[in-house]
Amino acid sequence: MTKIGILGYGNLGRGVECAIKQNDDMELVAVFTRRDPSGVKILTESAKVASVNNILDYKDKIDVLIICGGSATDLPGQTPEYAKYFNVIDSFDTHAKIPEHFANVDKSAKDNDHIAFISVGWDPGMFSLNRAYANAILSDGADYTFWGRGVSQGHSDAIRRIEGVADARQYTCPVESAVEAVRSGKQPELTTRQKHTRECYVVAKEGADLARIEKEIKEMPNYFADYDTTVNFISQEELDKNHKGIPHGGSVIRSGKTGWNRENNHIIEYSLKLDSNPEFTGSVLVAYARAASRMHKEGMRGCKTVFDVAPAYLSPLSGEELRAHML
Amino acid sequence: MTKIGILGYGNLGRGVECAIKQNDDMELVAVFTRRDPSGVKILTESAKVASVNNILDYKDKIDVLIICGGSATDLPGQTPEYAKYFNVIDSFDTHAKIPEHFANVDKSAKDNDHIAFISVGWDPGMFSLNRAYANAILSDGADYTFWGRGVSQGHSDAIRRIEGVADARQYTCPVESAVEAVRSGKQPELTTRQKHTRECYVVAKEGADLARIEKEIKEMPNYFADYDTTVNFISQEELDKNHKGIPHGGSVIRSGKTGWNRENNHIIEYSLKLDSNPEFTGSVLVAYARAASRMHKEGMRGCKTVFDVAPAYLSPLSGEELRAHML
């Protein structure tokens, strides 16, 4: 059994908890929270809820700590800190800051004889893996990543901060004609606007100026200005009924050429269609927790990413079983 | 530079040669052939053509030998034999015999301090990898593999053996409605007939009985009897003009459930659309040759499959570069 701790019990923490239930070789030992533990109800009857202040009591009771905090403010501090005491995994997704985060976590893990995986999920994570594999195979080619149709939490939050907005949900949508052009092997150059559209469902407060809200959304720099954005005002009831889920997904496509004279085209496409972004991310984290535990037992130390993990470590099957049934 | 030898110069050997040209860190040293070397013209001016009888002269001049023989009769003997003298890779694809082949190659490689990769290509190979990743992530789910639209050499050969047939080309085609049903998350149970159709283009000899040929094809056990098969009689000119390529591809799809009560569906799909099956397979082999050379230098020995290779080994990029640009 691989013994797991979860730090942070939001959507992602619950997703990890559900994934552990689906894997007979994994056991949830405890959920650690910054809140008052008595107010946190988890689903797993056999697991404890403990204050993060008491996490060191679990130092020898946990094989891997899955850190389910946010990338902006939680993980840059948490992952290096807890890599002192545990093997850890996070889903750090601020692409630009990955090298810095890697260096911090690597030092902490190595100094304390632990293994630490960062940026595990689907992007970064499975999408990154597929970019790396596809680039290694088709060295002459172009990469495309399309996201959606899915909920962007960051964009939804940005809309909610506008005056007069009570609630909002934003979907990132790939432009189907752009996806098809890429799949055809044409290797088009695509602008931001040509790749994705943004679809907003907004609940306005009573008496709010809808035209102003729509204009503020559509002109918001970074978030919406570079996209074709549609704004739909709906009631809170409708939002709760039709937009409660957290679906996401997307495709990583590499279009490449082979042949002595580059005469042949190839398309490698990896696609995800996810009903629940946090539950899928949680499932990826749990598979990598299995790998972290095994690799630590084999003596591997320091910070790793998905690029450093041989696929066999992720599977509950033995090498013999993998070769017989999956190869 | 990783120094490569190619054993066998058919379609696959040429595909490997083309892939080496596309990778600046790879160098083709020699092509080894069972034919008279003077009759074998290769594309790479700087490489030698040598008789397989003289292959041991190259023992210290090659980092990895890519064995491009057939799975039925060549590879079961060749791969264990040459693993005595070289680090080797093959694309052995007789699924049922992989455990036996693995054991033979593993012993030979370990006894002689080499590393050997077997069953590298796209299926087995990239499809296997995606089955393993997707199963590790979505432990509660179902797997589907669809092949095509693509040329099956084995089925084309089987048609050519029928009396009265001058030439033939067979395409394996996925049934689009079955693929769509799987993508919808329904997890349908599908029979062989429901998943693929077979499309045959046949050149008959003059005066041959076309009705008999068509009947023999459609009723051929294992190859065609379990499928909806269409037979089109065409001229040799038409076959040469429209059916000369060796395209292939397909999709590996895992449909799985997550959530405390299995309430959410997820689809992971990996798809290939290949203009040239041997050139793509050759490109996969070359990426894994890079990995084999690196892993051997790090001290790893014995037989490995794609499951045992951390993705970073496949890439010409450093760990820092991978994390900065691909993660």
Side-chain angles (χ1 to χ4, degrees):
Chain A
M1 290 298 256
T2 304
K3 297 191 167 83
I4 304 291
I6 294 173
L7 174 53
Y9 195 66
N11 287 328
L12 181 56
R14 268 187 294 275
V16 169
E17 182 182 25
C18 291
I20 292 170
K21 183 195 184 193
Q22 291 187 311
N23 286 278
D24 295 339
D25 61 332
M26 313 294 283
E27 180 191 347
L28 178 62
V29 173
V31 170
F32 303 99
T33 176
R34 289 179 288 204
R35 292 176 268 170
D36 176 353
S38 67
V40 175
K41 282 270 162 285
I42 64 171
L43 300 164
T44 309
E45 289 183 11
S46 57
K48 296 244 177 16
V49 180
S51 164
V52 71
N53 300 323
N54 299 325
I55 196 168
L56 294 193
D57 296 347
Y58 290 80
K59 201 176 162 344
D60 301 315
K61 296 175 187 161
I62 284 172
D63 297 311
V64 183
L65 180 69
I66 302 180
I67 306 180
C68 299
S71 295
T73 55
D74 298 330
L75 299 177
Q78 284 179 338
T79 311
E81 172 63 15
Y82 293 109
K84 293 181 190 166
Y85 314 108
F86 300 97
N87 298 320
V88 296
I89 307 190
D90 75 23
S91 55
F92 185 77
D93 67 359
T94 313
H95 287 263
K97 294 191 177 169
I98 286 174
E100 180 188 340
H101 189 55
F102 182 90
N104 293 339
V105 175
D106 192 48
K107 182 172 181 348
S108 170
K110 279 186 180 149
D111 286 350
N112 295 281
D113 221 23
H114 289 123
I115 196 165
F117 291 178
I118 62 162
S119 303
V120 174
W122 60 273
D123 195 9
M126 300 311 296
F127 273 17
S128 323
L129 263 186
N130 277 280
R131 283 188 280 264
Y133 276 119
N135 274 268
I137 296 168
L138 295 176
S139 46
D140 177 350
D143 290 310
Y144 299 87
T145 304
F146 292 97
W147 292 274
R149 186 178 185 258
V151 170
S152 166
Q153 212 59 59
H155 288 78
S156 302
D157 290 345
I159 299 172
R160 277 189 217 105
R161 285 191 295 264
I162 293 174
E163 199 188 313
V165 171
D167 204 349
R169 186 60 50 115
Q170 194 265 187
Y171 295 91
T172 306
C173 308
V175 175
E176 208 45 49
S177 60
V179 180
E180 287 309 322
V182 170
R183 283 186 187 137
S184 76
K186 276 186 204 122
Q187 297 194 16
E189 294 215 20
L190 297 167
T191 63
T192 298
R193 191 177 296 276
Q194 288 171 320
K195 289 203 290 187
H196 296 93
T197 59
R198 299 201 174 275
E199 218 175 282
C200 311
Y201 294 86
V202 181
V203 181
K205 289 180 184 161
E206 218 177 296
D209 178 348
L210 304 190
R212 181 202 34 92
I213 292 174
E214 178 162 346
K215 187 165 182 289
E216 278 194 43
I217 294 172
K218 289 187 170 176
E219 294 178 356
M220 197 185 296
N222 301 319
Y223 285 86
F224 294 100
D226 297 335
Y227 299 85
D228 289 339
T229 300
T230 54
V231 177
N232 307 282
F233 289 98
I234 60 174
S235 67
Q236 185 72 52
E237 293 70 41
E238 202 180 332
L239 190 91
D240 292 344
K241 189 176 155 221
N242 298 330
H243 303 282
K244 238 198 144 174
I246 319 176
H248 221 312
S251 302
V252 169
I253 305 177
R254 185 157 176 91
S255 175
K257 294 188 175 295
T258 66
W260 199 253
N261 299 304
R262 307 174 74 247
E263 59 270 36
N264 287 312
N265 281 310
H266 304 270
I267 300 288
I268 304 175
E269 176 167 355
Y270 180 81
S271 297
L272 297 173
K273 210 176 100 197
L274 313 175
D275 273 1
S276 166
N277 185 350
E279 287 178 11
F280 187 81
T281 303
S283 299
V284 178
L285 283 164
V286 167
Y288 276 88
R290 180 184 290 120
S293 175
R294 289 176 172 173
M295 289 167 68
H296 186 257
K297 282 189 185 116
E298 289 187 9
M300 295 183 227
R301 299 293 183 264
C303 190
K304 314 279 177 197
T305 72
V306 292
F307 302 133
D308 305 306
V309 180
Y313 286 114
L314 303 172
S315 173
L317 303 180
S318 69
E320 290 75 16
E321 290 170 321
L322 278 174
R323 288 191 293 275
H325 304 302
M326 300 265 165
L327 200 59
Chain B
M1 291 297 258
T2 303
K3 296 192 167 84
I4 303 292
I6 295 173
L7 174 54
Y9 195 66
N11 286 328
L12 182 56
R14 267 187 294 273
V16 169
E17 182 181 25
C18 291
I20 292 170
K21 183 195 184 192
Q22 291 187 310
N23 286 279
D24 295 340
D25 62 332
M26 313 294 282
E27 179 191 348
L28 179 62
V29 173
V31 169
F32 303 99
T33 175
R34 289 180 287 203
R35 293 176 268 170
D36 176 354
S38 67
V40 176
K41 281 270 163 288
I42 66 171
L43 300 164
T44 309
E45 289 184 12
S46 57
K48 296 246 177 14
V49 179
S51 164
V52 71
N53 300 322
N54 299 325
I55 196 169
L56 294 193
D57 296 347
Y58 290 80
K59 202 177 163 343
D60 300 316
K61 295 175 186 158
I62 284 173
D63 296 311
V64 183
L65 179 69
I66 303 180
I67 307 181
C68 299
S71 294
T73 56
D74 299 330
L75 299 176
Q78 285 179 337
T79 311
E81 172 63 17
Y82 292 108
K84 293 181 189 167
Y85 314 109
F86 300 97
N87 298 320
V88 296
I89 306 189
D90 75 23
S91 55
F92 185 77
D93 67 358
T94 313
H95 287 263
K97 294 190 176 169
I98 285 173
E100 181 188 339
H101 188 55
F102 182 89
N104 292 339
V105 174
D106 192 47
K107 181 171 181 352
S108 171
K110 278 185 180 150
D111 286 351
N112 295 280
D113 220 22
H114 289 123
I115 196 165
F117 291 177
I118 62 163
S119 304
V120 174
W122 60 273
D123 195 8
M126 300 312 296
F127 273 17
S128 323
L129 264 186
N130 277 280
R131 282 187 281 265
Y133 276 118
N135 273 267
I137 296 167
L138 295 175
S139 47
D140 178 350
D143 292 310
Y144 299 87
T145 304
F146 293 97
W147 293 275
R149 184 176 187 257
V151 170
S152 166
Q153 212 60 57
H155 288 78
S156 302
D157 289 346
I159 299 173
R160 279 188 214 105
R161 285 192 294 264
I162 293 173
E163 200 189 311
V165 171
D167 204 349
R169 186 61 49 115
Q170 194 265 187
Y171 295 90
T172 306
C173 307
V175 174
E176 208 45 51
S177 60
V179 180
E180 287 309 322
V182 170
R183 283 185 186 137
S184 77
K186 276 186 205 121
Q187 298 195 16
E189 294 215 19
L190 297 166
T191 63
T192 298
R193 192 177 297 275
Q194 288 171 320
K195 288 202 291 187
H196 296 93
T197 59
R198 299 200 175 277
E199 216 176 282
C200 312
Y201 294 86
V202 181
V203 181
K205 289 179 184 161
E206 218 176 296
D209 179 348
L210 303 190
R212 180 200 36 90
I213 291 173
E214 179 162 346
K215 187 166 183 290
E216 278 195 43
I217 294 172
K218 289 187 171 177
E219 294 179 357
M220 197 184 297
N222 302 318
Y223 284 87
F224 293 99
D226 297 335
Y227 299 85
D228 289 338
T229 301
T230 54
V231 177
N232 305 282
F233 289 99
I234 59 174
S235 67
Q236 185 71 53
E237 293 69 42
E238 204 181 332
L239 190 91
D240 292 344
K241 189 178 153 220
N242 298 330
H243 303 283
K244 239 199 146 175
I246 319 176
H248 220 313
S251 301
V252 169
I253 304 176
R254 186 157 176 91
S255 174
K257 295 189 176 294
T258 67
W260 198 252
N261 298 304
R262 308 174 74 247
E263 60 270 36
N264 286 312
N265 281 310
H266 304 269
I267 301 287
I268 305 175
E269 176 168 355
Y270 180 81
S271 296
L272 297 173
K273 211 177 100 197
L274 313 175
D275 273 1
S276 166
N277 185 350
E279 288 178 10
F280 187 80
T281 303
S283 299
V284 178
L285 283 164
V286 167
Y288 275 89
R290 179 183 291 120
S293 175
R294 289 176 172 174
M295 290 166 68
H296 186 258
K297 281 188 186 117
E298 289 187 9
M300 295 182 227
R301 301 293 183 263
C303 191
K304 313 281 177 196
T305 71
V306 292
F307 302 134
D308 306 307
V309 180
Y313 286 115
L314 303 172
S315 173
L317 302 181
S318 69
E320 290 74 15
E321 290 170 321
L322 277 174
R323 288 191 294 274
H325 304 302
M326 299 263 165
L327 200 58

